[in-house]
């Protein structure tokens, strides 16, 4: 009988201890594999927040600041871009399309983004996925609004519901645009991007909100412009916050970027969103590394638990080892038996860990997508996951040498001696 089959029979006599040990290893491995999967998907989701856009243009600032306020809607621009400059730069022969955005207002802490229909035509995220509607449609009227999936879920909004926008970005604003309510005409599907947390209206809608405001001050009572009167006025924007650029050829990206950065009429910056996203991830990616370290420690704790279990059982199994020696088993056979047990623990625990991981993925994926907009791809184990499994098995085998060596050293006489 070889060492593996003998080890299986030995473990069969200690089912409860063996099952608990295997389960502890499985939980540790599932946690490590799960953290690795979430880490990879989170990075992919983050770096794919915006795709298909060649450049983002805004007022002169750092690339990360421009990325934060234009894509993540965090913070504010250092300045605006005049509408005349936007039209001039958009008319460049290298440009295929542009999507302007205007920031400034909010609703219960969620940012309002003024934009055009081009946002729904050209904005892409993840693997070139367009924005799609869970309910309703895009804005058509001056006072139409499209909201992200997270807003609809958090505030319980539905299509056709009126909302009042607030001046500024504070969650509890004292200055409401209650004279010009908007109607929700569309709710976006979850994207796992900042688009889940924005309210989009037309650029003309942004102008209508502030048509009777002067230098950020609310209108004087009796001199405000009603919602219907605003429809009759010239609502062409005087400025925008930033704009997204799609070029006819990506080869022209650096040439257009250099032209923007050297533009003399206004101090502007043009950034490559992919490069800026990678820079931002390097700044905030330390948290996922810390989580990965913690998971590795959990796996080590599981393996040490296995080692403790085997070592603890050695004293109880000295007679078993002595009997094996008495029927012809050589010390090398005892050594191989103990190593085989560690290997069986590791292989069974790792296999169960993979099963637990995929079970959790299938169970949690719909909820994560629906409520958090975070998509976890369910794919076959990758190179890193197989490497993790191999390292766990190898580590368990190396740790198994410790009890194997102790069993090897136990003498036949020590095992047969009855201690009172």
């Amino acid at each position: 009988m070889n060492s593996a089959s003998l080890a299986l029979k030995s473990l069969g006599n200690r089912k409860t201890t063996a099952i608990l040990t295997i389960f502890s290893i499985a939980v540790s491995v599932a946690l490590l594999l799960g953290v690795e999967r979430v880490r990879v998907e989170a990075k992919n989701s983050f770096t794919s927040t915006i795709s298909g856009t060649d450049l983002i243009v805004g007022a002169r600032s750092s690339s990360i600041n421009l990325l934060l306020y234009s894509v993540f809607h965090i913070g504010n621009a250092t300045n605006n871009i005049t509408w005349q400059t936007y039209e001039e730069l958009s008319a460049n022969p290298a440009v295929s399309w542009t999507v302007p955005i205007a920031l400034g207002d909010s609703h219960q802490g969620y940012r309002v983004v003024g934009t055009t229909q081009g946002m729904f035509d050209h904005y892409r995220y993840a693997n070139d996925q367009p924005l799609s509607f869970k309910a309703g449609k895009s804005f058509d009227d001056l006072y139409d609004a499209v909201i992200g999936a997270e807003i609809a879920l958090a505030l319980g909004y539905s299509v056709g519901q009126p909302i009042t926008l607030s001046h500024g970005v504070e969650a509890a604003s004292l200055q409401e645009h209650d004279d010009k309510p908007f109607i929700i005409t569309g709710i976006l599907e979850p994207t796992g991007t900042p688009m889940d947390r924005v309210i989009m209206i037309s650029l003309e809608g942004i102008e209508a909100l502030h048509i009777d405001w002067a230098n950020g001050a609310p209108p004087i009572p009796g001199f405000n412009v009603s919602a219907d009167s605003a429809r009759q006025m010239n609502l062409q924007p005087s400025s925008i916050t930033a704009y997204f650029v799609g070029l006819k050829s990506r080869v022209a990206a650096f040439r257009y970027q250099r032209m923007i950065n050297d533009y003399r009429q206004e101090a502007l910056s043009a950034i490559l969103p992919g490069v800026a996203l990678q820079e931002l991830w390097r700044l905030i990616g330390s948290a996922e590394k810390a989580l990965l370290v913690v998971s590795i420690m959990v796996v080590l704790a599981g393996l040490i638990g296995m080692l403790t279990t085997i070592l603890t059982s050695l004293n109880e199994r000295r007679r078993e080892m002595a009997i094996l020696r008495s029927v012809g088993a050589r010390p090398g056979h005892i050594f191989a038996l103990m190593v085989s047990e560690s290997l069986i623990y590791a292989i069974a625990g790792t296999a169960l860990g993979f099963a637990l991981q995929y079970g959790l993925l299938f169970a949690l994926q719909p909820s994560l997508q629906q409520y958090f907009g975070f998509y976890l791809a369910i794919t076959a184990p990758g190179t890193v996951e197989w490497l993790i499994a191999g390292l766990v098995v190898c580590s368990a085998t190396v740790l198994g040498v410790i009890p194997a060596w102790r069993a090897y050293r136990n003498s036949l006489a020590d095992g047969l001696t009855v201690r009172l």
Side-chain angles (χ1 to χ4, degrees):
M1 185 177 294
N2 59 41
S3 299
S5 59
L6 188 60
L8 285 172
K9 289 183 179 295
S10 178
L11 291 174
N13 291 326
R14 294 173 283 118
K15 289 187 181 69
T16 303
T17 303
I19 290 173
L20 288 175
T21 304
I22 289 172
F23 187 73
S24 68
I25 295 174
V27 171
S28 303
V29 170
L31 179 61
L32 180 57
L33 292 173
V35 167
E36 174 62 20
R37 177 62 64 93
V38 170
R39 185 185 71 84
V40 171
E41 293 300 330
K43 183 177 181 180
N44 290 340
S45 177
F46 182 85
T47 55
S48 301
T49 299
I50 181 171
S51 66
T53 297
D54 296 311
L55 292 164
I56 301 174
V57 179
R60 182 71 54 82
S61 66
S62 69
S63 59
I64 291 180
N65 183 54
L66 176 51
L67 180 74
L68 284 174
Y69 73 73
S70 64
V71 176
F72 293 92
H73 314 124
I74 298 174
N76 295 297
T78 56
N79 206 347
N80 283 340
I81 304 172
T82 63
W83 186 255
Q84 181 181 357
T85 295
Y86 164 67
E87 288 190 318
E88 178 185 338
L89 296 176
S90 299
N92 189 287
V95 174
S96 175
W97 56 264
T98 59
V99 176
I101 61 170
L103 305 174
D105 289 339
S106 64
H107 175 72
Q108 298 192 26
Y110 294 101
R111 295 297 292 264
V112 174
V113 177
T115 186
T116 64
Q117 290 290 338
M119 179 67 76
F120 306 102
D121 297 332
H122 301 297
Y123 187 90
R124 298 290 186 272
Y125 68 96
N127 296 319
D128 203 35
Q129 296 185 52
L131 297 175
S132 57
F133 286 88
K134 183 177 182 180
K137 60 178 183 177
S138 175
F139 47 73
D140 290 327
D141 186 66
L142 180 63
Y143 298 112
D144 286 350
V146 173
I147 64 174
E150 182 178 318
I151 299 176
L153 184 65
L155 303 180
Y157 287 168
S158 58
V159 172
Q161 188 166 344
I163 58 173
T164 299
L165 305 184
S166 306
H167 189 72
V169 296
E170 294 80 10
S173 176
L174 299 177
Q175 299 175 331
E176 302 283 340
H177 296 293
D178 49 12
D179 60 328
K180 299 179 181 69
F182 279 70
I183 302 295
I184 297 173
T185 60
I187 299 173
L188 296 175
E189 290 279 3
T191 64
T193 73
M195 285 297 179
D196 294 339
R197 300 180 293 277
V198 299
I199 299 170
M200 287 187 282
I201 63 176
S202 65
L203 289 175
E204 291 77 14
I206 290 282
E207 291 296 314
L209 286 174
H210 304 96
I211 196 71
D212 46 9
W213 287 57
N215 299 320
I220 300 172
F223 291 90
N224 58 314
V225 177
S226 67
D228 289 334
S229 298
R231 292 179 182 275
Q232 313 303 320
M233 304 179 72
N234 178 19
L235 297 177
Q236 178 176 294
S238 58
S239 64
I240 59 173
T241 306
Y243 68 94
F244 304 141
V245 182
L247 299 173
K248 295 176 181 177
S249 172
R250 290 192 173 181
V251 177
F254 292 106
R255 186 168 60 250
Y256 189 83
Q257 183 184 34
R258 186 168 57 252
M259 181 196 73
I260 296 294
N261 293 337
D262 295 339
Y263 191 70
R264 294 185 178 277
Q265 280 71 21
E266 291 186 48
L268 302 177
S269 293
I271 63 169
L272 300 167
V275 175
L277 282 167
Q278 291 289 348
E279 291 179 7
L280 184 57
W281 179 259
R282 282 196 292 270
L283 290 177
I284 65 174
S286 56
E288 51 94 15
K289 293 177 183 177
L291 187 59
L292 186 60
V293 170
V294 171
S295 301
I296 292 173
M297 294 302 168
V298 172
V299 173
L300 289 177
L303 293 177
I304 291 172
M306 176 203 72
L307 175 62
T308 304
T309 300
I310 298 176
L311 285 173
T312 304
S313 68
L314 277 184
N315 283 334
E316 302 172 1
R317 299 174 63 193
R318 282 189 173 185
R319 187 172 296 277
E320 175 190 341
M321 302 302 167
I323 292 172
L324 289 174
R325 292 279 299 276
S326 68
V327 295
R330 292 179 303 212
H333 290 151
I334 304 299
F335 185 92
L337 171 65
M338 303 305 295
V339 172
S340 296
E341 284 192 15
S342 300
L343 193 59
I344 290 170
Y345 276 133
I347 292 174
T350 303
L352 183 57
F354 270 103
L356 285 174
Q357 181 209 14
Y358 278 96
L360 288 172
L361 283 176
F362 279 107
L364 296 177
Q365 187 197 51
S367 298
L368 290 173
Q369 175 74 12
Q370 180 179 356
Y371 296 109
F372 300 100
F374 181 58
Y375 179 72
L376 272 176
I378 300 178
T379 58
T383 304
V384 174
E385 290 169 307
W386 285 120
L387 180 61
I388 290 172
L391 287 174
V392 170
V393 172
C394 290
S395 300
T397 305
V398 171
L399 288 176
V401 171
I402 298 174
W405 178 252
R406 289 194 60 181
Y408 177 84
R409 295 287 300 273
N410 286 338
S411 67
L412 178 60
D414 182 44
L416 292 175
T417 301
V418 178
R419 302 191 179 189
L420 300 177

